[in-house]
Amino acid sequence: MKLAIVTAYPPSKVTLNEYAYHLVKHFRQNQNITELVLLTDTTEGEKDINFTEAGCKITVKECWTFNSYLNIVNVTKAINQVGPDAVLFNLQFMKFGDKKIAAALGLMLPLICKLKKIPNIVLLHNIMEQVDLGSAGFTSNRIMKKIYGFIGSTLTRLILQADTVAVTMQKYVDILNKKYNAKNVKLIPHGTFEILEEPSYDTPLEPFKIMAFGKFGTYKKVEGMIKAVEMLREVSDLNMEIVIAGTDNPNTPGYLESVKQKYDYVQGLTFTGYVAEEDVPKLFKESTVVVFPYTSTTGSSGVLHQAGSYGKAVVMPDLGDLALLVQDEGYKGEFFDAESPTSLAIALQKILEDNAYRIELEKANYKAATAYPMSRVADMYINTFEVIVDKKSEVTTVQSQEIIL
């Protein structure tokens, strides 16, 4: 199968590029894939396809740009030139832009593939029905929320024109089936990027590193985390450092720099900036606890799956999709009130002062992460493509017979 993947891809700063990297890594090792064609956004640096494992050929075609109105034309042209057997879209609603028209035009691409009779799957990482528009940085205005809701429903109906829409949580399947009467939605778990050798769970070396990882500024804000550690320093002798790993969300440029200036007096506070894929293992291995400083959630958390694969204890807000992941996939963590730095400080203290409890969380998260390695997820997509191809073949055969008759 010659598979095309429409996605952002490292060194892109557009969301979901890291997920694409790991998906590609495992697709190329599957014997059913003869060639991968990456239809990516344009970037200044070269795309990271220097894998060490044996695998199929990878071709990169940079054919779209964030917020461009021409993405629908350029990606369609690239698909025509490549002639893939199937197309996978790695999407969320603002994948092609944060401007409404640019975003909407890009999300019409699955429908175009269907009209061209190219087997296609949309991997949809979030659904609008589960996004807190205020916390996620869209709008807090009641009227605007209704407008966004209408736009979101319209875009969802567009996306549902794909042959199959894969979502990462059962709740998303239930919502799409009920609200849109969808018959083509399938649960394919997020998966864990790397299944590593089980860690030793030794007592971590001090200073304890409290780490948050992601794109910050909308619903991921680090001020509460910094305040929580400062509070904990006042009441304990714990030797702690704070590591803010990642970059600004594209919707909030300059956010981390403003935080850095505001809290420049805080000891042991590090901002790593962009973390390249090869530096991710060291980042997680050196961390004692991974914190999720979220005020809302917008889908299954890749960072939680990464933390699990490295056997790390986590501290997370008891809300939305994170709580569902704990329930559905077996992850464990210490929960806190998303609006309370004091609650976060207490949660951190419980883990850092109780080594046995920390190890319990680490073991549970490693076990949960190993249940769905990325190789298994890649197999699920390939099996789904095979079903789509078989159905299309059956339809073509029936149509041919009708013409003969």
Side-chain angles (χ1 to χ4, degrees):
M1 178 189 297
K2 183 178 182 179
L3 176 63
I5 305 178
V6 180
T7 185
Y9 195 84
S12 171
K13 301 300 189 293
V14 177
T15 184
L16 302 179
N17 72 83
E18 297 96 341
Y19 190 89
Y21 173 88
H22 292 281
L23 199 57
V24 166
K25 179 178 180 180
H26 290 278
F27 267 132
R28 67 182 293 275
Q29 297 177 64
N30 191 291
Q31 61 182 4
N32 293 312
I33 303 295
T34 56
E35 182 181 354
L36 280 175
V37 182
L38 308 185
L39 304 179
T40 74
D41 55 333
T42 57
T43 55
E44 291 183 3
E46 292 186 4
K47 294 295 190 287
D48 186 0
I49 57 172
N50 296 315
F51 299 103
T52 57
E53 303 84 0
C56 72
K57 175 184 176 183
I58 300 178
T59 302
V60 176
K61 287 185 72 68
E62 296 185 341
C63 57
W64 61 272
T65 305
F66 195 74
N67 271 333
S68 171
Y69 296 143
L70 296 177
N71 287 336
I72 185 171
V73 175
N74 293 335
V75 176
T76 300
K77 186 184 298 183
I79 290 173
N80 290 338
Q81 292 171 347
V82 169
D85 297 313
V87 179
L88 173 66
F89 294 89
N90 179 35
L91 298 183
Q92 50 99 339
F93 284 90
M94 297 296 176
K95 184 54 174 270
F96 294 102
D98 52 18
K99 296 177 181 177
K100 300 177 186 65
I101 295 176
L105 288 172
L107 296 178
M108 292 178 67
L109 284 163
L111 173 58
I112 290 175
C113 280
K114 187 172 184 179
L115 293 173
K116 294 171 70 67
K117 301 188 185 306
I118 303 173
N120 63 93
I121 298 174
V122 169
L123 163 54
L124 186 60
H125 288 261
N126 60 8
I127 61 175
M128 289 298 290
E129 287 77 9
Q130 290 296 106
V131 175
D132 184 328
L133 294 173
S135 297
F138 291 99
T139 182
S140 297
N141 182 281
R142 185 167 56 88
I143 295 175
M144 287 301 299
K145 282 185 178 181
K146 289 185 177 180
I147 294 173
Y148 270 105
F150 172 76
I151 294 171
S153 296
T154 303
L155 295 179
T156 300
R157 289 187 172 89
L158 266 181
I159 291 170
L160 287 169
Q161 297 304 307
D163 289 319
T164 297
V165 175
V167 292
T168 58
M169 303 184 73
Q170 182 59 45
K171 184 175 182 180
Y172 294 178
V173 178
D174 297 339
I175 290 172
L176 293 175
N177 287 347
K178 183 177 180 180
K179 180 174 179 178
Y180 300 95
N181 195 30
K183 307 296 183 185
N184 61 335
V185 180
K186 180 175 183 177
L187 172 65
I188 298 183
H190 180 285
T192 301
F193 292 161
E194 302 287 352
I195 301 300
L196 307 167
E197 182 178 347
E198 187 167 7
S200 61
Y201 307 114
D202 294 330
T203 301
L205 298 174
E206 294 191 39
F208 299 135
K209 293 193 175 182
I210 316 301
M211 191 267 285
F213 184 45
K215 292 181 173 62
F216 302 97
T218 53
Y219 63 94
K220 300 179 183 180
K221 296 187 176 181
V222 298
E223 291 94 335
M225 174 180 167
I226 297 170
K227 292 176 183 177
V229 173
E230 286 288 271
M231 290 178 179
L232 192 50
R233 282 171 171 166
E234 292 178 359
V235 298
S236 76
D237 295 326
L238 292 168
N239 185 6
M240 298 172 289
E241 291 183 357
I242 308 166
V243 180
I244 310 298
T247 59
D248 294 325
N249 184 290
N251 293 329
T252 54
Y255 166 73
L256 286 178
E257 181 60 33
S258 68
V259 174
K260 186 176 181 179
Q261 293 179 11
K262 181 178 180 180
Y263 293 97
D264 63 348
Y265 63 89
V266 175
Q267 296 296 315
L269 174 58
T270 301
F271 293 83
T272 69
Y274 175 74
V275 182
E277 285 297 330
E278 62 267 23
D279 297 326
V280 169
K282 183 174 185 290
L283 176 73
F284 275 92
K285 288 177 181 178
E286 291 182 350
S287 299
T288 312
V289 179
V290 180
V291 177
F292 296 77
Y294 302 174
T295 56
S296 70
T297 57
T298 61
S300 184
S301 172
V303 179
L304 178 57
H305 289 83
Q306 283 181 292
S309 70
Y310 290 99
K312 293 300 174 181
V314 299
V315 175
M316 63 183 80
D318 188 7
L319 50 78
D321 298 331
L322 285 175
L324 283 175
L325 275 174
V326 169
Q327 175 182 319
D328 294 346
E329 298 187 23
Y331 288 93
K332 289 187 177 180
E334 186 64 33
F335 288 103
F336 68 95
D337 180 348
E339 303 297 327
S340 171
T342 301
S343 175
L344 175 52
I346 293 171
L348 286 170
Q349 187 174 21
K350 286 181 179 178
I351 293 174
L352 296 177
E353 292 186 347
D354 189 339
N355 195 52
Y357 180 47
R358 176 186 58 80
I359 292 174
E360 176 189 336
L361 295 178
E362 291 174 344
K363 289 183 174 180
N365 291 338
Y366 181 80
K367 181 179 179 181
T370 56
Y372 278 96
M374 217 62 179
S375 56
R376 182 179 176 186
V377 171
D379 287 341
M380 295 175 76
Y381 280 107
I382 292 169
N383 292 339
T384 304
F385 274 122
E386 290 174 349
V387 171
I388 294 170
V389 171
D390 289 344
K391 285 183 179 179
K392 288 183 180 295
S393 297
E394 290 174 6
V395 171
T396 301
T397 301
V398 170
Q399 290 175 340
S400 298
Q401 290 173 345
E402 289 176 350
I403 291 173
I404 293 172
L405 292 172

